[in-house]
Amino acid sequence: LYKWGTGLSFANGVTLNGGANDVFIFQIAGDLTVGNGAIVTLAGGVQPENIFWQVAGQANFGTTSAMHGIVLSQTLISFNKGSSFTGRALAQSAITLNATAITAP
C-alpha cells in the first residue's frame, strides 16, 4: 500500500517490480497526473489486474503515456492523444479518450 495525502505526478517512467501474485495499491488524496511519454513498466511478472490506483480527484494521462492497472477515480479520467492503457478505468463522472488504446488485462 502506497498512500499520498496530496496529488501525485510523475513525468518519467516508473517500474513496478514484484511477482505475479503481488498486489500494488496506490491511494492518492488528490489528482493523478502522468506526464507526456511517461511509461509504467512491469517487471518480475507483475500483473496489471493486481495494480490499483485509487484517485480522490481526477486522473490525467499525458500524450503517448503508457499505463497499467485498475484506475478508480472520484471524478474524471482523461487519456490524451496516443496514450495506451492496459487495465480498467472507472470514474464517477466521465472518461475521455483521445486516440487511446485500451486493452483489458
Side-chain angles (χ1 to χ4, degrees), residues 31 55-60 71-78 89-96:
D31 294 341
V55 183
Q58 56 184 315
N60 296 297
V71 177
L72 308 164
S73 174
Q74 187 171 355
T75 59
L76 168 73
I77 300 175
S78 176
L90 305 153
Q92 282 186 333
S93 62
I95 297 175
T96 60

Side-chain angles (χ1 to χ4, degrees), residues 14-30:
V14 173
T15 299
L16 302 179
N17 195 352
N21 295 319
D22 290 348
V23 174
F24 295 83
I25 301 171
F26 300 96
Q27 292 181 337
I28 303 160

Side-chain angles (χ1 to χ4, degrees), residues 49-93:
E49 59 268 23
N50 293 338
I51 305 166
F52 299 89
W53 302 86
Q54 180 186 358
V55 183
Q58 56 184 315
N60 296 297
F61 301 98
T63 302
T64 68
S65 64
M67 187 71 173
H68 301 277
I70 298 167
V71 177
L72 308 164
S73 174
Q74 187 171 355
T75 59
L76 168 73
I77 300 175
S78 176
F79 294 97
N80 288 309
K81 187 175 184 178
S83 59
S84 64
F85 182 68
T86 301
R88 306 224 188 291
L90 305 153
Q92 282 186 333
S93 62

